[in-house]
Amino acid sequence: MLSDHFQNGVETAKLMWSRIPVTEEEEEDGEVGPSRKGNNGSSVVESLDYEVVENYAYREQQAKRGKLYMGYAVVVKWFLALLIGIGTGLAAVFINLSVENFAGWKFSLTFQIIQKSYFAGCLVYILINLVLVLSSVYIITHFAPVASGSGIPEIKGYLNGIDTHGILLFRTLIGKIFGSIGSVGGGLALGKEGPLVHIGACIASLLGQGGSTKYHLRSRWLQVFSSERDRRDLVTCGCAAGVAAAFRAPVGGVLFALEEVTSWWRSQLMWRVFFTSAIVAVVVRTAMGWCKDDNCGHFGAGGFIIWDVSGGQEDYSFEELLPMAVIGVIGGLLGALFNQLTLNVTHWRRNYLHKKGVRVKIIEACIISVITSAISFGLPLFRRCTPCPEADANSGIECPQAPGMFGNYVNFYCQNNKEYNDLATIFFNTQDDAIRNLFSAKTAHEFSAQSLLTFLVMFYTLAVVTFGTAVPAGQFVPGIMIGSTYGRLVGMFVVSFYRKLNIEEGTYALLGAASFLGGSMRMTVSLCVIMVEITNNLKLLPLIMLVLLISKAVGDAFNEGLYEEQARLRAIPLLESRPKYQMRYMTAKEACGNQNVVYFPRVVKVADVVSILRSNDHNGFPVVDHTRSGETLVIGLMLRSHLLVLLQSKVDFQHSLIPSDSRGGLLPIRHNLSEFVKPVSSKGMSLNDIHFTPDDLEMYIDLAPFLNPSPYVVPEDMSLTKVYNLFRQLGLRHLLVVPRPARVIGMITRKDLILEDNDDSATVELQSTSRYTS
């Protein structure tokens, strides 16, 4: 029995969460349609063709390319990696400068006004945040709906082999950049780090296809790599660049791409990803050097995340391992709870609230903005101001800070000039500066337990409610905020219990941040390296590893990671790294079910092709031929997208049923391979776009030159576990299931795959197994 799909149900999913543009070439009509639907009315999540179709056209083109072209292709790959790093770094610089300047102007103006009227200052503060958030949600709802959220689940799905329409378009890139400025600058409990990963992926995809067709930003000399396999490699570089730009952590960016988002990895790709991340680090560092000369307005020390705790705790004792382990347990519990709460809230928002239209999305974001601003401005009034500690010349920290300036010991509506408000030091600040304050060393007893607990409860609630609104939203920095708060609380207890002078509360804040991210996102290696890079303290590496392992183990006992949960909610069918336990008791034939395989003969009538394409949603069709003895022979696999190209061009139509090679050899290929590539993140060609005359329908097509003559095939009794691993590790879209073959024509071992270069560089021969024993 043949099967044109492996687990055909994987491609049938629920309606996509957001209404997204289906193609970049469509006209703007103010209404964004849902994802493409099949003939039965069900929504279809498009799979990607990462497999190379080695048909006659492909082999003919490869034969014309020599070593010079291969060298040129390698140079272009590295050049694109360079452009991705520069583009992502510049996008990060622009976002950081914008957010920091908006925040600086907002805080400076507010502090000036509250000296005269507290109510007027509060009103101005709320209005500024409201305008920024309103601009962000308006951009998302009216220009780029798919740019909402972090974008990491969608990019992870893309690298897993699933294409969510619209995620890599130019409008998505623009919406993500300006939407992030509005949502983060507006003070919402969100971060810009997740969106930067999506931004890097968009830049990589656009560079890979030479730009945008719709907006007339396209360069022919960049259009070298048009296959989805090449785009996958470029998008992987973009993801790593996004993390490197967000955290100034180039090595962490490489490991994030390897551990969290990619399903397939090669050593050649590792070097290009590493090079891209290094370029991002250079661009960001250059921008920071330029800003030190007061060229960036209110930029200051914030924006580009680095929280230097190298001057903190130098060593730790064995007794401290227990409270550090407790931090890991707390992080796992709170992280798992956060995932479940955001999943429930987002599910309710998607199924009930957002179905009421765009206006409701805008009103919801504005209400959350007003509530967040009122809480951050109003709660500090309920805390009494605290006298400044005795000045420490070695700490380099001023108490209180000048009004409107970032840093520790914020004087917020205090009557005495030598007092500060500890709750305002966290609330009434940018998130980057608030985290820097929580991580800071030599500031023991700066925060009271009541203030930290109040902030933890309120910010945790705001983060849960805000995540899922129609704005770009990252969860890295909010997670660090939450974790560092309870970590500092534990640190205060340890300091008071052990009464040792060398214990720093900021060190425990750092461990708390790592534990919450580990408990929520379930990353280990990449997150550990990111935390070390952004804190510039290698001595804390063993402690960070400890809390990450504990928090991940605790969180895994309750649910999956944040990105996996959100991907499932968005109906993105990810193939995880491990197959389900039940698959070991199932076979490939059982996975196929009782489906009727739809196939084509080698020479097929155009009317039959049109009828079959209209009657089902399959994206791959086995092609069969008959031998002289009458036996049916599978000669390859034909993709729907390739069939549509042939039907649209009509140059391959013929009047007879005779195959082309029976008439003096295969006819010359009249197509460029780029014609068969689907536009990135779009629906591609549709059968409804092609017009047929009655004469066209009576013609025939020989499919032999265009099919994939060597599709992957498995016997029907292979275990589903082995099928799953083969399918995922090779990045397949289709897998044919056949009866067990009757005979063996040969056997290949490792030694058969080792090539020997002879003296003549033009000849390469395979080592024969007759010379070895396997």
Side-chain angles (χ1 to χ4, degrees):
M1 176 181 177
L2 297 175
S3 172
D4 66 326
H5 283 74
F6 164 65
Q7 291 182 314
N8 190 44
V10 166
E11 294 190 354
T12 303
K14 300 177 182 179
L15 184 66
M16 297 304 296
W17 176 48
S18 60
R19 301 183 298 167
I20 56 180
V22 294
T23 176
E24 184 148 343
E25 285 75 16
E26 69 181 357
E27 294 295 328
E28 294 280 359
D29 57 1
E31 182 67 24
V32 182
S35 58
R36 183 167 61 89
K37 292 186 177 181
N39 294 328
N40 57 1
S42 62
S43 176
V44 176
V45 178
E46 189 77 12
S47 296
L48 294 167
D49 294 297
Y50 286 150
E51 183 184 357
V52 177
V53 179
E54 297 178 341
N55 54 21
Y56 176 74
Y58 174 81
R59 292 174 179 175
E60 186 180 69
Q61 187 180 74
Q62 291 298 312
K64 296 178 180 178
R65 295 174 174 176
K67 291 186 176 180
L68 182 61
Y69 179 84
M70 299 304 296
Y72 170 72
V74 171
V75 171
V76 173
K77 286 181 180 180
W78 285 93
F79 182 67
L80 287 177
L82 172 67
L83 293 182
I84 292 169
I86 294 175
T88 307
L90 292 177
V93 169
F94 176 71
I95 292 175
N96 279 290
L97 290 180
S98 301
V99 170
E100 286 292 313
N101 277 285
F102 278 128
W105 294 328
K106 175 177 63 180
F107 289 130
S108 296
L109 179 62
T110 303
F111 269 106
Q112 291 176 9
I113 296 177
I114 62 174
Q115 304 301 323
K116 303 176 181 178
S117 171
Y118 177 84
F119 178 78
C122 179
L123 185 62
V124 169
Y125 180 77
I126 292 175
L127 287 177
I128 294 176
N129 284 337
L130 182 61
V131 170
L132 291 172
V133 173
L134 179 61
S135 66
S136 175
V137 70
Y138 188 86
I139 290 172
I140 298 302
T141 54
H142 289 80
F143 181 70
V146 78
S148 64
S150 69
I152 293 181
E154 289 81 2
I155 298 301
K156 185 174 181 178
Y158 183 88
L159 296 177
N160 194 263
I162 298 297
D163 186 14
T164 304
H165 302 314
I167 60 170
L168 297 175
L169 300 183
F170 181 72
R171 70 168 74 180
T172 303
L173 171 64
I174 299 301
K176 208 77 176 183
I177 292 176
F178 289 96
S180 298
I181 293 173
S183 61
V184 178
L188 294 180
L190 302 169
K192 55 183 178 293
E193 293 68 36
L196 272 174
V197 175
H198 194 175
I199 289 170
C202 289
I203 291 174
S205 178
L206 290 169
L207 287 173
Q209 65 178 347
S212 172
T213 302
K214 178 177 180 179
Y215 299 99
H216 307 291
L217 301 172
R218 199 168 181 88
S219 175
R220 287 187 175 274
W221 61 275
L222 283 177
Q223 300 174 38
V224 178
F225 307 105
S226 56
S227 71
E228 290 173 346
R229 178 185 289 260
D230 294 325
R231 289 174 185 165
R232 177 188 65 188
D233 293 348
L234 293 175
V235 170
T236 302
C237 292
C239 291
V243 175
F247 295 105
R248 287 179 55 196
V251 180
V254 176
L255 294 176
F256 175 83
L258 172 62
E259 179 184 9
E260 184 62 22
V261 295
T262 59
S263 301
W264 309 280
W265 196 263
R266 305 190 316 277
S267 58
Q268 299 95 327
L269 179 61
M270 170 77 80
W271 287 108
R272 290 203 300 273
V273 171
F274 187 81
F275 174 71
T276 304
S277 299
I279 294 300
V280 172
V282 172
V283 172
V284 171
R285 186 168 293 276
T286 302
M288 292 188 64
W290 184 66
C291 288
K292 287 181 179 179
D293 297 330
D294 296 328
N295 296 318
C296 301
H298 288 272
F299 181 67
F304 294 113
I305 298 175
I306 184 166
W307 301 299
D308 193 341
V309 294
S310 57
Q313 188 169 332
E314 295 291 338
D315 199 4
Y316 52 89
S317 59
F318 180 79
E319 293 84 356
E320 292 181 70
L321 294 180
L322 178 60
M324 291 176 181
V326 171
I327 289 179
V329 174
I330 295 174
L333 294 175
L334 290 182
L337 178 62
F338 182 85
N339 292 358
Q340 191 61 44
L341 290 176
T342 53
L343 183 66
N344 294 339
V345 172
T346 306
H347 184 269
W348 171 83
R349 188 179 268 132
R350 173 193 175 200
N351 290 336
Y352 299 99
L353 188 63
H354 286 179
K355 282 188 174 181
K356 297 180 180 179
V358 171
R359 182 177 299 177
V360 174
K361 295 181 181 180
I362 297 176
I363 294 174
E364 177 201 23
C366 292
I367 291 176
I368 293 177
S369 172
V370 172
I371 293 175
T372 303
S373 301
I375 289 176
S376 60
F377 202 97
L379 274 183
L381 288 180
F382 294 92
R383 290 292 304 165
R384 292 183 178 179
C385 291
T386 306
C388 288
E390 295 183 4
D392 185 359
N394 296 326
S395 67
I397 298 176
E398 179 185 356
C399 181
Q401 289 289 344
M405 296 298 292
F406 58 89
N408 300 78
Y409 303 112
V410 173
N411 187 320
F412 183 80
Y413 214 61
C414 295
Q415 301 299 326
N416 194 325
N417 291 333
K418 287 297 180 180
E419 292 182 338
Y420 73 97
N421 190 312
D422 61 343
L423 194 54
T425 302
I426 316 177
F427 257 128
F428 202 73
N429 227 324
T430 62
Q431 293 181 9
D432 294 343
D433 291 328
I435 295 172
R436 188 175 290 105
N437 297 340
L438 291 169
F439 282 3
S440 61
K442 300 180 177 63
T443 57
H445 312 296
E446 177 185 3
F447 304 100
S448 65
Q450 295 87 345
S451 295
L452 291 176
L453 192 59
T454 300
F455 177 80
L456 175 63
V457 173
M458 295 306 302
F459 194 83
Y460 192 96
T461 304
L462 289 173
V464 169
V465 173
T466 308
F467 190 74
T469 52
V471 294
Q475 281 303 112
F476 272 102
V477 167
I480 294 176
M481 288 276 287
I482 294 170
S484 58
T485 304
Y486 67 74
R488 184 114 186 175
L489 273 170
V490 175
M492 292 172 60
F493 168 78
V494 174
V495 169
S496 60
F497 184 81
Y498 290 111
R499 300 185 182 280
K500 292 184 178 180
L501 298 179
N502 62 335
I503 296 179
E504 286 287 354
E505 298 173 2
T507 301
Y508 286 82
L510 168 64
L511 298 180
S515 70
F516 186 83
L517 292 179
S520 175
M521 300 178 183
R522 312 294 159 78
M523 296 186 296
T524 51
V525 179
S526 58
L527 186 57
C528 181
V529 174
I530 289 174
M531 295 302 295
V532 170
E533 287 187 280
I534 64 179
T535 55
N536 196 27
N537 194 335
L538 193 60
K539 296 180 180 179
L540 301 177
L541 178 61
L543 303 180
I544 296 175
M545 295 172 64
L546 173 68
V547 297
L548 279 176
L549 290 173
I550 294 175
S551 62
K552 184 182 185 303
V554 173
D556 285 339
F558 294 95
N559 50 33
E560 292 186 288
L562 177 66
Y563 300 137
E564 288 76 14
E565 295 281 7
Q566 294 296 322
R568 182 177 293 108
L569 183 65
R570 288 162 171 77
I572 301 174
L574 295 178
L575 292 180
E576 299 298 335
S577 58
R578 292 188 303 172
K580 298 296 183 183
Y581 180 81
Q582 306 91 297
M583 288 185 177
R584 66 183 63 189
Y585 304 111
M586 301 175 63
T587 63
K589 183 177 181 179
E590 293 174 345
C592 297
N594 298 320
Q595 56 181 282
N596 294 322
V597 180
V598 181
Y599 61 88
F600 289 113
R602 172 178 173 174
V603 181
V604 60
K605 194 174 183 179
V606 173
D608 294 337
V609 176
V610 174
S611 175
I612 290 176
L613 292 181
R614 283 178 175 166
S615 62
N616 63 77
D617 297 323
H618 299 328
N619 288 288
F621 303 89
V623 180
V624 299
D625 200 3
H626 296 281
T627 62
R628 293 180 179 178
S629 61
E631 181 183 359
T632 300
L633 180 67
V634 180
I635 62 173
L637 182 73
M638 193 71 191
L639 297 178
R640 171 186 284 265
S641 59
H642 291 193
L643 283 171
L644 292 175
V645 172
L646 299 180
L647 292 176
Q648 186 188 49
S649 67
K650 303 180 183 180
V651 297
D652 300 286
F653 289 3
Q654 62 188 43
H655 293 279
S656 66
L657 271 167
I658 303 175
S660 58
D661 57 359
S662 299
R663 297 171 292 174
L666 287 172
L667 297 176
I669 300 298
R670 289 166 286 190
H671 298 277
N672 192 303
L673 285 182
S674 60
E675 298 178 32
F676 295 96
V677 178
K678 180 177 73 71
V680 62
S681 286
S682 70
K683 69 177 181 179
M685 194 184 306
S686 172
L687 188 62
N688 297 327
D689 301 329
I690 305 174
H691 174 71
F692 299 98
T693 65
D695 292 337
D696 291 337
L697 297 176
E698 296 300 321
M699 302 286 279
Y700 296 88
I701 307 177
D702 184 3
L703 302 180
F706 309 101
L707 55 79
N708 182 1
S710 55
Y712 287 92
V713 178
V714 297
E716 60 183 352
D717 57 351
M718 177 182 283
S719 71
L720 196 56
T721 298
K722 294 181 68 175
V723 173
Y724 183 97
N725 291 328
L726 179 69
F727 198 91
R728 186 181 187 277
Q729 292 173 11
L730 294 178
L732 303 181
R733 183 175 186 178
H734 306 96
L735 194 61
L736 302 185
V737 180
V738 300
R740 180 165 289 279
R743 64 190 182 93
V744 178
I745 64 171
M747 181 178 292
I748 294 177
T749 65
R750 180 185 299 271
K751 295 172 183 176
D752 295 305
L753 302 177
I754 299 177
L755 294 176
E756 273 191 355
D757 292 329
N758 297 329
D759 294 336
D760 183 4
S761 60
T763 61
V764 179
E765 70 176 37
L766 283 166
Q767 298 184 9
S768 172
T769 53
S770 62
R771 298 166 53 191
Y772 301 91
T773 58
S774 59

